[in-house]
Amino acid sequence: MQDQIKIVVVAMYQPGGGRPGELSKFREGLGLRPWKKAGLPEGVLWRNREGVAAMVAGVGPVNTAVNLMTLGLHAGVDWRKTWWLVCGIAGGNPQICPLGGVAVADWVVDGDLAYDLHTEDHPPQWSTGLLPLGATKPYGRVAPGLFSEPAQVFHLDKKLAGWAARRAQKTILHDSRELAQARKIYAAFAAGARPPAVLRGDVLSAARFWHGARHHRWAERWVKYWTKNRGRFAAATMEDSGTLGALRRLHELNLADWRRVLLLRSISNYTLPPPGRPAHRHLVEGPEPGLNFPSLEAALENVWRVGRDVVAALLQKPPR
């Protein structure tokens, strides 16, 4: 008899040493227990008696793709009626997302597949050295041929994303005195002074942990380019192209349902430094290199709160 799993929560960032990660709140709040399945290491899979499971897919698109395909191909589970809820933290666009806010995504664009020229090696009139594969200039037309159809754009089910965002509007999000203090530093940005909120916004997924104004401008245009101006860059992640690539492939194999995939990303930091601070210093001179996250606690708490409410709604009265 096959296992009946109603929902899978997909987390990525789960550090060791007793530090909290994306799975921690879900594991405690949903009463999840270790779940052993062939092909996946111990500690990756968890589940409860209500048919809710969770997995730590790992950091980076390769880890998430491999682990999700391993899970999806497991013969002991029928995933075709399972809801997939990807929940994690992200860098945010301070013009759109408040710190600690939660973005419900419609679009995910891969930021890794590209031609890459160093700044000193491309013409000075070019705004970036990152070109679409098969193009001859930044954001140029991709010529027919080997690279004409790279699988780097993912359009999630719009109705499902809207359903989740509407329910999440009732979720009370965590705010704090410390987070309010952090907001003051970013008040020059359109969303920098706002308290946490749930919004619709799209994702650029790249294995590189990038930072700074030039990369930020590239990200905004890259998302618009690949979505034909239908997406707006709200969050930067490191895994979602791998996660969604695996889930889309499982859908094509009739092993999962693409219309049942949701993506929630909470804002733990911004892709831009505060005004007046060099990007390199902001990136490496935090508590740990690359971990200058002013809203990490709020992001972990709020993606859990929204995820918890979406899980409850899916169990009680899922969308048709």
Side-chain angles (χ1 to χ4, degrees), residues 106-310:
D106 292 302
W107 295 90
V108 171
V109 174
D110 179 278
D112 288 324
L113 289 171
Y115 293 142
D116 187 358
L117 289 168
H118 191 275
T119 336
E120 297 177 359
D121 293 327
H122 68 67
Q125 65 269 26
W126 284 10
S127 61
T128 178
L130 290 169
L131 283 64
L133 287 176
T136 58
K137 61 181 180 180
Y139 317 108
R141 187 179 69 87
V142 175
L146 180 61
F147 300 127
S148 61
E149 293 294 335
Q152 62 189 112
V153 184
F154 303 89
H155 193 191
L156 294 159
D157 189 273
K158 190 173 182 178
K159 289 183 179 180
L160 179 59
W163 173 89
R166 288 191 297 274
R167 274 141 190 82
Q169 294 302 323
K170 299 178 181 179
T171 301
I172 299 174
L173 298 183
H174 170 76
D175 199 356
S176 66
R177 185 177 301 174
E178 292 76 17
L179 188 55
Q181 191 67 30
R183 287 199 290 269
K184 293 180 180 179
I185 304 172
Y186 294 95
F189 298 115
R194 298 206 308 258
V198 177
L199 54 101
R200 299 284 286 277
D202 303 309
V203 169
L204 186 138
S205 172
R208 295 172 293 113
F209 191 122
W210 56 268
H211 192 62
R214 291 177 179 83
H215 281 325
H216 180 92
R217 289 194 293 270
W218 163 78
E220 289 182 313
R221 290 194 64 182
W222 195 256
V223 169
K224 287 182 179 180
Y225 170 87
W226 284 107
T227 63
K228 297 179 171 58
N229 288 319
R230 289 174 288 178
R232 62 173 188 167
F233 166 63
T237 74
M238 299 176 69
E239 299 87 15
D240 293 333
S241 56
T243 301
L244 297 185
L247 289 172
R248 190 162 66 182
R249 183 63 180 137
L250 290 170
H251 171 83
E252 292 166 355
L253 294 170
N254 195 31
L255 297 174
D257 188 346
W258 181 253
R259 297 166 298 180
R260 291 171 172 257
V261 179
L262 270 168
L263 175 58
L264 308 176
R265 283 290 188 166
S266 57
I267 308 307
S268 59
N269 60 291
Y270 281 144
T271 55
L272 293 169
R277 185 170 175 81
H280 72 280
R281 291 187 60 186
H282 189 248
L283 179 66
V284 302
E285 292 183 6
E288 296 180 49
L291 289 180
N292 198 346
F293 296 169
S295 55
L296 178 59
E297 179 185 355
L300 291 172
E301 178 65 30
N302 287 337
V303 78
W304 147 246
R305 291 189 185 190
V306 173
R308 170 200 63 197
D309 291 353
V310 170

Side-chain angles (χ1 to χ4, degrees), residues 9 11 13-14 19-32 54 87 89 174 296-308:
V9 175
Y13 170 69
Q14 188 65 28
R19 293 183 294 182
E22 294 164 351
L23 178 69
S24 303
K25 297 280 184 179
F26 287 93
R27 187 174 57 203
E28 297 162 10
L30 298 178
L32 301 173
C87 292
I89 61 174
H174 170 76
L296 178 59
E297 179 185 355
L300 291 172
E301 178 65 30
N302 287 337
V303 78
W304 147 246
R305 291 189 185 190
V306 173
R308 170 200 63 197

Side-chain angles (χ1 to χ4, degrees), residues 47-115:
R47 67 171 294 178
N48 64 17
R49 294 179 179 178
E50 287 71 47
V52 179
M55 76 175 302
V56 181
V59 173
V62 173
N63 285 323
T64 58
V66 169
N67 285 327
L68 271 163
M69 285 302 294
T70 302
L71 180 67
L73 292 170
H74 193 279
V77 181
D78 184 349
W79 304 106
R80 289 173 295 179
K81 293 185 179 180
T82 299
W83 301 95
W84 301 85
L85 184 58
V86 183
C87 292
I89 61 174
N93 181 346
Q95 303 294 349
I96 295 175
C97 300
L99 291 170
V102 180
V104 183
D106 292 302
W107 295 90
V108 171
V109 174
D110 179 278
D112 288 324
L113 289 171
Y115 293 142

